Amino acid sequence: MTREQSDRVKDVWGSRSPFDRGGQWDVRVDVALAEGLSEADVDGWVRSACVLCSNGCGCDIAVKDGRMVGIRGRADDAVNRGRLGPKGLYASWQGMSAPDRLTTPLIRAGDDLVPASWDDAMDRIVQRSRALLEETGPLSHAFYTSGQLFIEEYYALAVVGKAGVGTPHMDGNTRLCTATAASSLKESFGADGQPACYDDIDECDALFLYGHNMAATQTVLWSRVLDRLEGPRPPRLVVVDPRETPVARRADVHLPVRPGTNLALMLALVREVLENGWTDDDFIAAHTIGVDELRAHASEWTPERAADVCGVDARDIRKAARLFGTAERPLSTVLQGVYQSSQATASACQVNNLHLLRGKIGHPGAGLLQMNGQPTAQNNRECGADGDLPGFRNWENGEHIAELAELWGVDPLKIPHWADPTHAMQLFRFAEQGSIRFLWISATNPAVSLPQLARIRDMLASDGLFLVVQDLYLTETAELADVVLPAAGWGEKTGTFTNAERTVHLSEKAVDPPGEARPDLDIFLDYAQRMDFRRDDGSPLLEWTGPEDAYRAWQECSRGRPCDYTGISYDDLRRESGIRWPRRAGESRSTDRLYADGVFSSRADYCETFGHDLLTGAAVGAEAFKALRPDGRALLKSAPYAGPHEPPDDEYPLRFTTGRSVFHFHTRTKTGRTPELVEAAPSVWVELAASDAAARDLANGDVVEVRSRRGRIVAPVRLTDIAPGTVFAPFHYGYWDAPEGAEQRHPTAANELTITEWDAVSKQPVFKTAAVQVVRAGGVS
Ligand SMILES: Nc1nc2c(c(=O)[nH]1)N[C@H]1C(S)=C(S)[C@@H](COP(=O)(O)OP(=O)(O)OC[C@H]3O[C@@H](n4cnc5c(=O)[nH]c(N)nc54)[C@H](O)[C@@H]3O)O[C@H]1N2
Ligand SMILES: Nc1nc2c(c(=O)[nH]1)N[C@H]1C(S)=C(S)[C@@H](COP(=O)(O)OP(=O)(O)OC[C@H]3O[C@@H](n4cnc5c(=O)[nH]c(N)nc54)[C@H](O)[C@@H]3O)O[C@H]1N2
Ligand code: SF4
Ligand SMILES: [Mo]
């Protein structure tokens, strides 16, 4: 075991510990402490896991004099074996401790937000909420939450929204993040839930990254991959990304597809596997349905045709297909380059199809990860504070609704299930049209993260909308609120969450929150109490006194469902650093890989959805689904290629795509308050290919204006090996720390440019393809 207090800005992935296939990944404990402190100075270490991406690295928080003063990776944690990346090491604790945290509620007084007591702030909320419920009913209310709260908080919010208020207008930024991960798993396998696990990185002989820049976005997982790549018998690596990312640089085959063309490539890969007979016909016959339709969809997609559409070499498509088709243990991961691009669910489902065609699922090294991004996105999907129902229940299945009604002690008719749940973009549209008049936003910053920002800002600021924002900081969104509620965050409250491969961690309270800030759970429970929400027998709807009560209620809700938590208690989580679900009551081991027996979650009485047409999003419906008789078989689903929503043209000739930088998390509320990371990536830039720059007489560092039909940003150019015709900007740079007035002169948020479109099935917005023009910025420096 090594111990590193090294520089995770200069050395993002840390030292190598190469290992062989099937070997053990070594321990390396990364530590960071406030300047001048050593580990001996620390008063105590408190068990937690990092909440700055979906990897969920186990850690301990260093506490001294009642303050967080550092962090240390947990050597015994299966996810990271002690390692932490730049955000975990520097931003997790420093990002919570900035002097400008919200410390009291704020209420609107004209143009200003002024401090108020909790009673005053909650009274305002409850008065408005009551009046609207009486006047117009539950459809006036909406809740828009996060992928960054804890299980306990989501479950409370789900019960409040669905059984207290009774509104279908509930979603989260998980819609922007992993709605397609959920959709593709549901469409192919019948329910959400990650089939593979991280041990498969240790076991695989080929690794496919589809639109996933793991080196920047899950740095610790990439360390694990690097240690395989540098050990004996390394896996072959295939990367699909229009940019020459650090993962692309390590690839055996890099396919720099044009943004928005994934499905064409995926259909070509499917076709190659079918044509070359790389299929497991027994598995297909016993465990899948739909192979003939899939064959028909793929048949016209020769590598040459896909190469033409995607702008890549047909030989590389063949090479990638052969690597997949002949691998013993292929592992695939999929992320935003697919989920936020065109035909997201249809493209992601082709990854599932590739694995199903070869029977490569549920076995060591052979499987797939429809990845998550946010640390607790999985839990929002499980608990149903987004459009889903808790426990992966199916809103079209009356029995499932009855189970929830029983758990919550309310009439089944109270629980909205008469139509599709409202997805985020629709929810904001209803607010714009004025039918939603009460919007409660928690732990997300839509004024920077939603597409077409000018429109979103107008919507949030509109007089007819009562806006509650619950955050750590006065964000761009909070500034537009009628009531701002100061939340306690990571390290200041206790709760559980689940990473991208189903591993659950407990994060314990280490310090008190600043001022009067309160845990999100307490705030939701307080609202329920003040609203006097009750069960049908007259008792209070929620009688939980703290997180462990809420967690126990959630365990009960998960019983018998795919995400069964009944065998994972707080005490278990204090004993074991990270436990995978499902672990049922009485079990002492978890199920590491789902579907090892080839039995999927597609039984009609068990599945989470009856599915959709992948081109139009039209629901299949109970009767048609039952007629297919999936009965535990996986569904090989597909759709014809349709291309990007806004293809380039003469006026807007370039394809605009967006994403992340290794040093910042989203709208930078934490990383932008972390000195090491601000210094590493202080301001916005745009990436351009040399040929596109030359055509515009632009050099590295020249300041340009990028314009779309919806807005503009101003930024210096960075020349990179991005696919020609494509422009990339990071989406981290909003306006909370911009100098006064700069917002108008120097707009920097990528979402000024992005388009209001979404995937037909998952309803995930399309952040990764739009048409733009790039010109030298005139008069701006
Ligand atoms: N440092 C850092 N890490 C993070 C986060 C962060 O903000 N910062 N956020 C976390 C969250 S919530 C998420 S969701 C994940 C996201 O993690 P990733 O999905 O890895 O990150 P992105 O940069 O959004 O997108 C990945 C890649 O998609 C490529 N791409 C763009 N268009 C296309 C296309 O049409 N097809 C294909 N195949 N690729 C395309 C981009 O060039 C980019 O390199 O990261 C998590 N980790
Ligand atoms: N152009 C473009 N846009 C994108 C993307 C992209 O790739 N390109 N990616 C999309 C994706 S994948 C995502 S996940 C979203 C992210 O978008 P957002 O969710 O808007 O981004 P964050 O900055 O993470 O916002 C989280 C907020 O929660 C607050 N917070 C943190 N912890 C707590 C807590 O415990 N309690 C409370 N109440 N508040 C807390 C933080 O201070 C912060 O303001 O952006 C999406 N938008
Ligand atoms: S990889 Fe993700 S979870 Fe791990 S330390 Fe980095 S940001 Fe945190
Ligand atoms: Mo995300």
Side-chain angles (χ1 to χ4, degrees):
M1 161 168 145
T2 54
R3 204 167 193 82
E4 282 195 2
Q5 198 160 6
S6 60
D7 186 333
R8 277 293 160 277
V9 168
K10 284 207 192 83
D11 180 15
V12 169
W13 307 292
S15 58
R16 294 279 56 78
S17 37
F19 66 111
D20 194 358
R21 193 166 82 213
Q24 264 282 329
W25 194 33
D26 240 0
V27 170
R28 181 193 83 206
V29 174
D30 291 331
V31 193
L33 287 167
E35 203 152 331
L37 290 187
S38 75
E39 288 180 63
D41 300 323
V42 170
D43 296 340
W45 297 88
V46 177
R47 176 191 289 268
S48 183
C50 174
V51 288
L52 289 169
C53 86
S54 59
N55 214 45
C57 296
C59 61
D60 290 311
I61 304 169
V63 180
K64 184 174 171 55
D65 302 330
R67 289 176 54 82
M68 295 192 228
V69 294
I71 192 165
R72 184 171 70 191
R74 289 184 63 87
D76 66 342
D77 196 280
V79 170
N80 57 323
R81 311 242 156 89
R83 289 163 186 76
L84 295 169
K87 285 176 289 128
L89 206 57
Y90 302 123
S92 52
W93 53 286
Q94 296 188 97
M96 295 302 300
S97 317
D100 60 340
R101 280 284 298 276
L102 291 167
T103 53
T104 68
L106 305 172
I107 55 179
R108 182 151 300 281
D111 287 344
D112 300 320
L113 282 166
V114 297
S117 68
W118 271 101
D119 272 340
D120 284 350
M122 292 306 286
D123 277 352
R124 265 200 194 202
I125 294 172
V126 167
Q127 265 175 26
R128 183 58 73 103
S129 189
R130 283 224 163 109
L132 282 171
L133 286 180
E134 254 164 50
E135 230 173 84
T136 47
L139 295 182
S140 58
H141 278 52
F143 296 89
Y144 181 61
T145 189
S146 185
Q148 298 172 44
L149 297 181
F150 292 148
I151 288 179
E152 297 77 359
E153 298 169 331
Y154 294 128
Y155 190 52
L157 182 57
V159 182
V160 165
K162 292 181 205 294
V165 175
T167 178
H169 306 322
M170 298 188 76
D171 206 355
N173 66 6
T174 43
R175 185 68 62 184
L176 325 182
C177 185
T178 59
T180 306
S183 278
S184 62
L185 294 169
K186 290 185 219 178
E187 296 292 334
S188 297
F189 309 129
D192 195 346
Q194 204 64 262
C197 65
Y198 284 176
D199 305 355
D200 293 324
I201 301 265
D202 311 350
E203 302 277 354
C204 66
D205 62 6
L207 177 61
F208 289 73
L209 304 183
Y210 294 100
H212 182 190
N213 185 11
M214 190 197 280
T217 57
Q218 289 168 310
T219 57
V220 171
L221 195 59
W222 182 243
S223 295
R224 192 160 177 167
V225 172
L226 283 177
D227 287 343
R228 278 293 322 275
L229 290 175
E230 292 181 18
R233 299 190 293 170
R236 309 297 296 274
L237 182 65
V238 176
V239 171
V240 183
D241 194 307
R243 295 189 304 147
E244 176 103 349
T245 57
V247 297
R249 279 196 281 279
R250 294 299 299 246
D252 295 286
V253 183
H254 173 207
L255 296 163
V257 293
R258 294 188 180 113
T261 64
N262 293 314
L263 186 57
L265 171 74
M266 297 313 305
L267 289 171
L269 294 177
V270 166
R271 181 180 180 278
E272 284 298 285
V273 167
L274 287 166
E275 291 282 305
N276 287 290
W278 289 319
T279 48
D280 179 340
D281 296 332
D282 292 342
F283 185 91
I284 293 173
H287 301 293
T288 70
I289 50 178
V291 70
D292 293 335
E293 292 89 328
L294 178 63
R295 194 185 296 277
H297 273 294
S299 63
E300 61 187 298
W301 286 97
T302 60
E304 282 68 24
R305 178 154 181 225
D308 197 39
V309 168
C310 304
V312 299
D313 191 330
R315 279 168 304 188
D316 288 338
I317 298 182
R318 287 209 163 80
K319 241 196 255 171
R322 176 168 294 277
L323 279 180
F324 185 83
T326 57
E328 215 22 65
R329 300 166 172 211
L331 177 66
S332 302
T333 76
V334 190
L335 202 46
Q336 299 311 352
V338 173
Y339 299 163
Q340 295 173 341
S341 197
S342 309
Q343 298 192 279
T345 305
S347 305
C349 281
Q350 302 320 304
V351 178
N352 301 344
N353 290 346
L354 285 168
H355 283 265
L356 290 166
L357 288 173
R358 298 206 58 226
K360 298 292 184 189
I361 185 163
H363 306 301
L368 61 102
L369 295 155
Q370 296 284 353
M371 270 288 176
N372 293 347
Q374 290 178 94
T376 77
Q378 185 66 49
N379 305 116
N380 192 3
R381 277 148 50 189
E382 291 162 2
C383 295
D386 60 357
D388 296 325
L389 286 179
F392 298 157
R393 285 182 175 81
N394 181 352
W395 63 270
E396 290 184 276
N397 180 337
E399 293 291 315
H400 286 186
I401 306 292
E403 285 167 18
L404 291 176
E406 169 85 28
L407 276 170
W408 299 339
V410 296
D411 192 296
L413 288 176
K414 177 85 192 186
I415 303 169
H417 64 282
W418 56 86
D420 281 49
T422 313
H423 62 90
M425 298 307 296
Q426 187 68 52
L427 187 155
F428 282 88
R429 176 74 182 135
F430 287 153
E432 186 174 46
Q433 289 171 319
S435 69
I436 287 177
R437 293 166 62 194
F438 175 101
L439 172 58
W440 188 326
I441 294 176
S442 47
T444 179
N445 189 9
V448 181
S449 57
L450 282 179
Q452 207 177 338
L453 287 181
R455 177 171 168 244
I456 299 296
R457 280 188 294 260
D458 283 351
M459 224 178 262
L460 293 172
S462 104
D463 284 343
L465 181 72
F466 185 81
L467 180 66
V468 181
V469 175
Q470 185 168 312
D471 206 287
L472 312 175
Y473 291 103
L474 191 67
T475 60
E476 293 85 342
T477 306
E479 281 184 10
L480 303 172
D482 294 285
V483 177
V484 178
L485 300 176
W490 180 84
E492 299 164 351
K493 59 183 183 183
T494 293
T496 43
F497 63 97
T498 308
N499 81 348
E501 45 115 43
R502 293 176 280 108
T503 293
V504 189
H505 283 105
L506 176 67
S507 179
E508 307 234 42
K509 178 176 171 179
V511 300
D512 287 329
E516 295 171 28
R518 297 172 70 190
D520 297 271
L521 177 64
D522 293 11
I523 301 173
F524 295 140
L525 294 180
D526 189 16
Y527 170 70
Q529 197 185 15
R530 287 174 195 257
M531 292 295 289
D532 199 25
F533 292 136
R534 290 183 182 272
R535 301 164 75 100
D536 287 349
D537 66 6
S539 60
L541 180 63
L542 292 170
E543 289 185 285
W544 311 331
T545 55
E548 195 160 3
D549 279 355
Y551 182 78
R552 287 203 191 99
W554 161 247
Q555 283 182 293
E556 214 33 59
C557 181
S558 74
R559 187 183 293 278
R561 296 300 300 157
C563 51
D564 195 320
Y565 280 73
T566 51
I568 309 173
S569 68
Y570 269 28
D571 282 345
D572 295 329
L573 291 166
R574 289 188 177 113
R575 219 174 26 245
E576 280 178 67
S577 194
I579 302 179
R580 283 193 190 110
W581 66 247
R583 187 182 287 184
R584 300 164 193 94
E587 290 177 349
S588 57
R589 271 196 59 80
S590 301
T591 307
D592 289 330
R593 296 177 183 85
L594 306 186
Y595 313 133
D597 54 2
V599 179
F600 297 90
S601 300
S602 61
R603 245 177 37 218
D605 61 347
Y606 185 70
C607 66
E608 189 179 0
T609 179
F610 297 129
H612 300 84
D613 176 79
L614 297 194
L615 179 66
T616 63
V620 170
E623 291 318 310
F625 183 81
K626 285 175 189 161
L628 286 171
R629 292 196 291 110
D631 300 336
R633 288 177 294 172
L635 293 93
L636 293 163
K637 298 186 78 162
S638 193
Y641 176 75
H645 292 91
E646 191 184 51
D649 58 18
D650 287 348
E651 199 181 353
Y652 296 97
L654 299 170
R655 292 171 196 257
F656 180 62
T657 195
T658 64
R660 291 159 169 80
S661 119
V662 65
F663 298 119
H664 283 299
F665 185 66
H666 299 171
T667 70
R668 291 179 301 121
T669 65
K670 293 179 183 176
T671 54
R673 290 175 170 91
T674 303
E676 293 85 348
L677 302 183
V678 173
E679 198 189 328
S683 51
V684 70
W685 71 91
V686 297
E687 296 179 15
L688 220 57
S691 53
D692 292 322
R696 290 163 180 77
D697 200 19
L698 293 167
N700 222 1
D702 285 355
V703 177
V704 294
E705 195 169 299
V706 186
R707 298 183 190 140
S708 79
R709 290 182 175 82
R710 295 154 294 278
R712 62 186 192 106
I713 61 170
V714 177
V717 166
R718 222 178 248 186
L719 295 184
T720 67
D721 289 328
I722 193 168
T726 300
V727 184
F728 172 91
F731 84 104
H732 305 299
Y733 297 93
Y735 306 107
W736 61 266
D737 54 346
E740 195 74 22
E743 184 173 337
Q744 281 75 43
R745 277 197 311 126
H746 299 285
T748 48
N751 284 322
E752 306 290 353
L753 307 177
T754 47
I755 190 169
T756 301
E757 289 287 355
W758 53 82
D759 179 57
V761 182
S762 68
K763 319 294 186 199
Q764 183 158 351
V766 177
F767 290 113
K768 293 225 180 332
T769 99
V772 295
Q773 50 175 249
V774 172
V775 294
R776 184 182 295 280
V780 243
S781 57

